[in-house]
Amino acid sequence: MRPFAYERAVSAEDALNRHTDDTQYLGGGTNLVDLMRLGVATPARLVDVARLPYDRIEHRADGGLVIGAAVRNSDLAADLGVRDDHPLLAQAVLAGASGQIRNQATVGGNLLQRTRCPYFQDVTKPCNKREPGTGCPAVHGDNENMAILDHSPHCVATHPSDMAVALTALDARVRVRHPGGEDVVPLARLYRSPGDDPSRDTTLRPGDLITAVEVPARLDMPARYRKVRERASFAFALVSAAVALDVADGTVRDCRIALGGVAHRPWRAHRAEDALRGRPATEASYRAAAEVELAAAEPLSGNAYKVTLAVNVITAALAGLGEDA
Ligand SMILES: Cc1cc2nc3c(=O)[nH]c(=O)nc-3n(C[C@H](O)[C@H](O)[C@H](O)COP(=O)(O)OP(=O)(O)OC[C@H]3O[C@@H](n4cnc5c(N)ncnc54)[C@H](O)[C@@H]3O)c2cc1C
Ligand code: SF4
């Protein structure tokens, strides 16, 4: 591992002031330190932001939340208000990683964790995300776990965060501090498609500091997170779905559907949502809506199974809610 300096920021301003071109912020370190050990990340300086005063969850009367970026994943999932008002979010956090990792991982770090693409993590292999212009061996190589939607010839990686999928379904926004002030960025605008520059996962600029995540008022409809993975103890999603469904007189009034494990970003399934509103609340409608979304899929040589899986996961998750409603 390359030698590095460690510094602890005492305020957001202090963190911003300490940031230089070869600095990275340190949350719980459960992703960044792994990448440093592998030689994928080589910062000369770490600025610890996990002890900044952003370790609280603020609850609003309408169920809205302001979740500090330094809140640990375990504390978020265990918070009674979160469990009552946003069970979808608590379920997604609990579906990620292991208890030990969740105890250490922060909300800010979870949202900015890097892809688990095996080529990205292996510095002996080319990878456009790690080293722009070197190529993407996953396009024709080991791509079982890669994207089926919105990928590019330059990168077919998926975003690994479960929490981000739930927050995408909930229309969450992140508060971002930078030298010019603060921006509030919808999650839909935080994450990027790979396009011809997969080196950037997000629209953040170097040195931007996430201080909090805002979650709007509680959804007035049942919601659920469903994740399919290779083993139950801990594993990243092959496909996951965050869904919510509002049914009245047997008809779908409103719904939310977001997917994980299918794209470079948490994927909001707007086409499926539009197809489902106003339709009978039946399994046939859920499947038809899921098929509308997945019609845009462009599976790679090894991951056509994800198209069927995604349709099945959406259908099963919504059908489960239909029974609850
Ligand atoms: C064995 C294993 C299994 C896992 N399984 C899952 C899983 O199933 N689902 C899942 O979602 N995750 C999973 N994870 C990933 C885990 O959730 C992440 O490692 C963790 O959430 C990252 O949080 P952290 O605070 O440790 O981030 P760090 O490692 O500290 O940081 C990650 C990135 O975020 C940046 N950063 C951190 N905080 C801020 C901030 N406030 N502002 C700006 N930038 C910041 C860092 O510079 C770094 O680039 C797994 C990890 C492991 C090791
Ligand atoms: S899919 Fe993306 S992360 Fe993986 S090798 Fe290709 S460019 Fe790198």
Side-chain angles (χ1 to χ4, degrees):
M1 195 192 275
R2 179 185 175 192
F4 62 91
Y6 170 88
E7 299 170 12
R8 191 176 287 179
V10 295
S11 65
E13 292 73 19
D14 185 36
L16 296 179
N17 286 336
R18 287 175 189 273
H19 196 278
T20 59
D21 284 349
D22 54 5
T23 299
Q24 275 196 258
Y25 293 136
L26 180 70
T30 61
N31 183 227
L32 179 55
V33 174
D34 273 358
L35 293 176
M36 289 168 69
R37 281 200 198 100
L38 293 167
V40 173
T42 54
R45 175 154 62 161
L46 293 183
V47 172
D48 191 339
V49 295
R51 289 165 183 80
L52 293 181
Y54 301 122
D55 57 351
R56 300 264 159 77
I57 303 173
E58 187 186 322
H59 295 268
R60 304 222 157 125
D62 62 1
L65 304 171
V66 180
I67 307 166
V71 169
R72 305 286 168 172
N73 288 192
S74 301
D75 293 332
L76 177 61
D79 185 277
L80 288 181
V82 173
R83 292 165 70 119
D84 284 347
D85 290 335
H86 302 281
L88 170 63
L89 178 57
Q91 288 166 14
V93 174
L94 286 177
S98 63
Q100 290 93 332
I101 292 165
R102 291 194 297 271
N103 285 343
Q104 180 69 13
T106 62
V107 166
N110 185 304
L111 294 180
L112 297 186
Q113 61 177 295
R114 309 299 309 272
T115 182
R116 310 306 279 201
C117 171
Y119 301 104
F120 174 74
Q121 295 185 322
D122 181 349
V123 294
T124 68
K125 301 286 195 308
C127 167
N128 283 329
K129 188 178 278 299
R130 180 170 29 77
E131 253 184 276
T134 55
C136 176
V139 169
H140 299 293
D142 174 3
N143 54 34
E144 263 180 42
N145 290 333
M146 301 295 171
I148 52 173
L149 288 163
D150 197 41
H151 51 67
S152 83
H154 305 284
C155 181
V156 293
T158 57
H159 194 270
S161 167
D162 289 292
M163 183 194 298
V165 179
L167 290 173
T168 295
L170 293 171
D171 284 336
R173 310 187 304 174
V174 288
R175 290 184 185 169
V176 179
R177 284 290 297 270
H178 51 80
E182 183 182 83
D183 293 332
V184 181
V185 183
L187 232 64
R189 289 217 312 269
L190 176 71
Y191 294 109
R192 292 181 69 250
S193 302
D196 59 8
D197 180 13
S199 65
R200 292 168 58 226
D201 298 342
T202 69
T203 54
L204 297 181
R205 293 149 300 192
D208 282 359
L209 178 72
I210 295 182
T211 57
V213 176
E214 298 179 359
V215 179
R218 74 180 70 79
L219 288 180
D220 197 14
M221 47 183 156
R224 168 175 298 183
Y225 188 70
R226 188 154 182 160
K227 173 177 177 180
V228 176
R229 50 186 156 176
E230 278 175 348
R231 63 178 173 206
S233 53
F234 60 86
F236 289 88
L238 297 173
V239 173
S240 66
V243 299
L245 193 62
D246 178 13
V247 175
D249 301 325
T251 299
V252 176
R253 272 201 307 213
D254 199 7
C255 60
R256 304 270 179 101
I257 306 171
L259 298 173
V262 297
H264 193 256
R265 48 162 77 205
W267 188 255
R268 184 73 180 263
H270 288 294
R271 286 176 295 235
E273 291 179 2
D274 291 345
L276 192 52
R277 288 191 192 97
R279 306 298 303 164
T282 62
E283 191 169 324
S285 302
Y286 307 149
R287 184 167 295 280
E291 283 168 349
V292 168
E293 189 69 38
L294 272 300
E298 293 180 287
L300 305 164
S301 54
N303 69 2
Y305 77 95
K306 278 197 179 187
V307 179
T308 314
L309 186 57
V311 169
N312 288 343
V313 172
I314 295 171
T315 306
L318 288 168
L321 286 176
E323 284 155 19
D324 298 346

